Amino acid sequence: MKSIVPIFLSILVFFACQNEKKETGYVLTGTLKNIADSSVVYLATQNEKMDSAFVVGEKFTMKGKVDAPTHVYISIKDSENFGALWLENSPMTITAEDGKFREAVITGSQTQKDNDLLKGKLTALGKVADSLVSILRDENTEKSLWDSTYAEYQANNDLQQEIQRGFIKDNPESLVSAYILKVYKSTWGRDTTELLFTPMPEVVKNTEDGKSIARFIELSVNPQIGDKYVDFEMENVAGEKVKLSDIKGKYVLVDFWASWCGPCRRENPNLVKTYNNFHDKGFEVLGVSFDQKKEPWLKAIEKDELPWEQITDLLAWECEAGVIYNVNAIPDNILIDEEGTIIARGLRGVKLDEKLEELFNKAS
């Protein structure tokens, strides 16, 4: 019996070591040049904060665990310092400088290496795009220059997307490819998305990004002007199921918005005026929210005094209606006539008023 005890203890130690290895997560060590002591560094996904640390002597350390390599954002509280990285369960380092977080050097992540490979192909085009944006945002830019600059910006953007599609085609096994395809799926449409998605291995297809892409391929219809609308169902503020087909009117506007969307909130007063002017003639609105949390959604409805039916599935950009109609930016909307035909899209403010005036005058 005495000889068994040391063996038994050795077995326990062995399994303890194995469990310790299984529990290993990420250790992110950062060097942030010219960042003051006591500044707070945040790591966050698109939807929520996941870690934070104080800067001491231009350095910080974070420890934790992720279920899979995860695209996260790094930022300094109360500053414009903002960047991104792929976080993995391994020792990682990040070296960045105040004002240049987007140029940070990151080591220790294979997925980050894939990302850097793509980034290297886009860097020059990105710098050109930044210079073009500065011209477009300058209020003193003459119209002729603005128009030519915008055309150049669009061509630059098209070329960047072509490079990204090429990267996905050449690297179907990369999580970076799945992430990019998820971001651009509604922009590129179902056919292109499915073509790029099909060669990806199952391990990539089963990630959250992969599932998002598969759902898009399944649901996306993207009906155009002149097509019949596609019905959908979500819950209203009272938790009751409401379908688009439940909203009856001569003309129905499906308004895609969110409480966190500044342009949407600025447009709401205009839409309220339009609703009040045309509602008695048969104009209806159905608000479809891209919110993820119910409370901000309800508060925004109350604060903006929105009188029409509001629905959401609280899935943010995975909103079912948004997927069906390929909504890749908000505010957006579609206008449907009494026969169920889509007759316009993206009309706001004066343009919406003019369209409704024309339609109701024609009807009378």
Side-chain angles (χ1 to χ4, degrees):
M1 288 296 291
K2 288 182 181 181
S3 60
I4 295 177
V5 174
I7 296 173
F8 179 70
L9 290 175
S10 297
I11 293 172
L12 288 179
V13 171
F14 171 79
F15 280 110
C17 291
Q18 291 300 307
N19 289 333
E20 185 177 347
K21 288 181 181 179
K22 289 180 181 179
E23 293 301 318
T24 298
Y26 64 82
V27 179
L28 178 63
T29 304
T31 299
L32 305 179
K33 299 176 183 178
N34 301 319
I35 299 296
D37 283 357
S38 299
S39 297
V40 181
V41 187
Y42 286 113
L43 285 186
T45 63
Q46 186 175 4
N47 300 319
E48 62 183 355
K49 292 177 182 176
M50 57 183 295
D51 208 343
S52 64
F54 287 106
V55 176
V56 179
E58 297 187 335
K59 297 185 181 298
F60 76 90
T61 301
M62 292 184 189
K63 297 180 180 181
K65 191 174 183 179
V66 289
D67 293 333
T70 304
H71 187 264
V72 301
Y73 300 99
I74 183 168
S75 61
I76 301 292
K77 183 179 180 182
D78 300 327
S79 82
E80 295 183 0
N81 286 304
F82 183 85
L85 67 138
W86 280 90
L87 189 66
E88 294 187 16
N89 290 325
S90 63
M92 294 183 59
T93 67
I94 178 169
T95 302
E97 184 176 346
D98 184 24
K100 298 181 179 180
F101 270 41
R102 294 181 186 276
E103 301 171 18
V105 176
I106 301 152
T107 67
S109 164
Q110 180 57 50
T111 314
Q112 184 66 40
K113 287 183 180 179
D114 292 349
N115 187 80
D116 290 344
L117 176 64
L118 175 60
K119 185 178 178 181
K121 298 179 180 180
L122 296 172
T123 297
L125 289 171
K127 290 180 178 179
V128 172
D130 289 343
S131 65
L132 295 174
V133 168
S134 65
I135 297 173
L136 295 173
R137 289 179 175 174
D138 187 346
E139 295 180 356
N140 298 317
T141 300
E142 295 181 359
K143 187 179 186 305
S144 59
L145 177 58
W146 194 97
D147 290 344
S148 62
T149 302
Y150 183 71
E152 189 177 350
Y153 173 81
Q154 287 291 85
N156 180 289
N157 186 56
D158 291 344
L159 184 53
Q160 288 194 55
Q161 291 187 36
E162 183 180 336
I163 290 172
Q164 289 170 314
R165 287 192 293 270
F167 178 88
I168 296 170
K169 185 177 180 180
D170 293 340
N171 301 275
E173 76 292 341
S174 174
L175 296 180
V176 175
S177 294
Y179 175 78
I180 296 167
L181 189 55
K182 182 197 73 171
V183 171
Y184 282 101
K185 61 184 187 296
S186 57
T187 302
W188 294 342
R190 183 173 61 182
D191 291 345
T192 296
T193 298
E194 186 170 14
L195 186 66
L196 293 169
F197 184 65
T198 300
M200 290 183 177
E202 289 302 314
V203 67
V204 174
K205 290 180 177 179
N206 287 328
T207 63
E208 290 303 311
D209 289 344
K211 292 175 182 177
S212 172
I213 298 165
R215 183 170 180 265
F216 171 80
I217 293 169
E218 177 188 359
L219 295 178
S220 176
V221 179
N222 194 21
Q224 302 297 304
I225 293 173
D227 294 339
K228 293 295 182 180
Y229 77 90
V230 178
D231 209 3
F232 55 83
E233 181 182 68
M234 298 180 193
E235 291 187 359
N236 65 9
V237 297
E240 302 164 336
K241 294 285 188 178
V242 175
K243 292 181 178 180
L244 170 56
S245 56
D246 294 334
I247 309 301
K248 306 299 182 183
K250 290 184 178 179
Y251 300 100
V252 176
L253 185 80
V254 181
D255 179 43
F256 300 106
W257 74 294
S259 67
W260 45 262
C261 170
C264 303
R265 302 294 297 276
R266 289 192 291 272
E267 181 61 26
N268 277 342
N270 298 328
L271 187 52
V272 170
K273 289 180 183 178
T274 301
Y275 179 82
N276 290 335
N277 289 337
F278 292 96
H279 178 60
D280 290 343
K281 297 180 181 181
F283 176 58
E284 292 290 347
V285 178
L286 175 64
V288 177
S289 169
F290 280 54
D291 276 277
Q292 194 169 27
K293 295 182 180 180
K294 190 171 185 177
E295 186 176 355
W297 173 55
L298 295 177
K299 285 184 177 179
I301 294 170
E302 181 179 6
K303 184 175 182 179
D304 294 356
E305 299 181 344
L306 307 180
W308 49 82
E309 185 76 272
Q310 295 282 348
I311 60 175
T312 186
D313 53 15
L314 297 177
L315 292 177
W317 288 105
E318 296 299 317
C319 166
E320 181 177 341
V323 175
I324 290 172
Y325 286 90
N326 277 30
V327 178
N328 53 53
I330 53 176
D332 194 2
N333 59 50
I334 56 172
L335 184 63
I336 303 169
D337 68 13
E338 198 167 11
E339 303 302 317
T341 301
I342 298 172
I343 57 174
R345 182 161 187 171
L347 295 178
R348 294 191 287 276
V350 175
K351 291 185 178 180
L352 178 59
D353 289 342
E354 291 175 347
K355 182 65 174 180
L356 291 173
E357 194 73 50
E358 172 194 334
L359 291 169
F360 283 116
N361 285 342
K362 188 181 294 184
S364 62

